[in-house]
Amino acid sequence: MSDETIIDGTARPVPSPAPSAAQSPEQSPKQSPDLRRRHRRGLVVGAIAAPLALGAVGLSLAQPGPAVAPTPVAPGAISDLAPSGAIAVRGEVAEIFGNKFVLQDGTGRALVETGRAGEDGTLVAKGETVTVQGRFETGFLHAALITRADGTPVLFGRAGGPPPGSLDWVRDKAGLGPRPDVPALTASVEKAGYGDVRITGRGPRHWEVAAKGPDGRERLLHVGFDGRIRERPLL
């Protein structure tokens, strides 16, 4: 007896496939009117739903991330305010003027600017005690962080990082972007001769940093993820 497999080669008629729901009414003459109507309605719903779904995905991807929390700075007296990329004061809200308010302590008063976030004048309340951290220049304290008396933080400004929709931003979203080593960057800034290093924000491929130069004067630095350092003028 042979072990070979024998394949029956007898010719047989192949039945025609039954019409499917994807066929048009012309291809399926036996479809009922109700079935044809449901088929057309399904196509219309699908055509509407597809762009809506894609739009929802686009909106979710376009939303910015949370703002970069700046390095905490211990508050000082308002009378000691001087040009700085990162400085903090604590006091009581004395007056509110739209997106600006006057903060006062026992040593003086300072005008705080909050940008678009405070345009309705309800960001803080008159008589409230808050700590304000930000950039002080041209006579204004530009708020980056307000901490309420109960410890609640309020961050301001852009989220930082690559611009939404850019290739770098997509890589960041997918977890493929650069992962900067903050301690290493801080050490590299200190090695370059700067002290009192404070991170104030993040750019596409750099950190924005406030620090003191060898002469003790305030500096604004652009510190690349590759370790390169550039100074920016402080007004």
Side-chain angles (χ1 to χ4, degrees), residues 13-33:
V14 178
S16 299
S20 66
Q23 291 177 309
S24 67
E26 290 76 18
Q27 292 172 318
S28 306
K30 293 185 180 181
Q31 282 184 333
S32 69

Side-chain angles (χ1 to χ4, degrees), residues 70-182:
T71 302
V73 175
I78 288 178
S79 61
D80 291 337
L81 280 173
S84 172
I87 197 167
V89 291
R90 180 179 175 83
E92 180 182 290
V93 178
E95 302 289 343
I96 300 173
F97 309 98
N99 68 346
K100 298 177 179 64
F101 64 89
V102 175
L103 189 71
Q104 66 180 15
D105 65 6
T107 70
R109 292 157 65 96
L111 189 58
V112 179
E113 197 271 334
T114 61
R116 296 179 62 183
E119 285 180 350
D120 60 2
T122 61
L123 189 62
V124 293
K126 188 174 180 178
E128 181 180 6
T129 298
V130 296
T131 300
V132 181
Q133 178 175 325
R135 185 182 77 257
F136 185 74
E137 58 183 356
T138 63
F140 287 85
L141 179 54
H142 302 271
L145 170 66
I146 287 180
T147 305
R148 303 190 186 281
D150 64 359
T152 303
V154 181
L155 282 169
F156 298 87
R158 61 188 180 84
S166 68
L167 183 57
D168 284 341
W169 178 82
V170 172
R171 287 172 177 159
D172 267 12
K173 281 283 186 180
L176 302 175
R179 297 181 179 277
D181 185 336
V182 176

Side-chain angles (χ1 to χ4, degrees), residues 6 8 41 45 56 60 66 126 144 162 171 181 193 230 235:
I6 299 174
D8 183 1
R41 188 163 54 247
V45 171
S60 66
K126 188 174 180 178
R171 287 172 177 159
D181 185 336
R230 291 191 290 115
L235 300 179

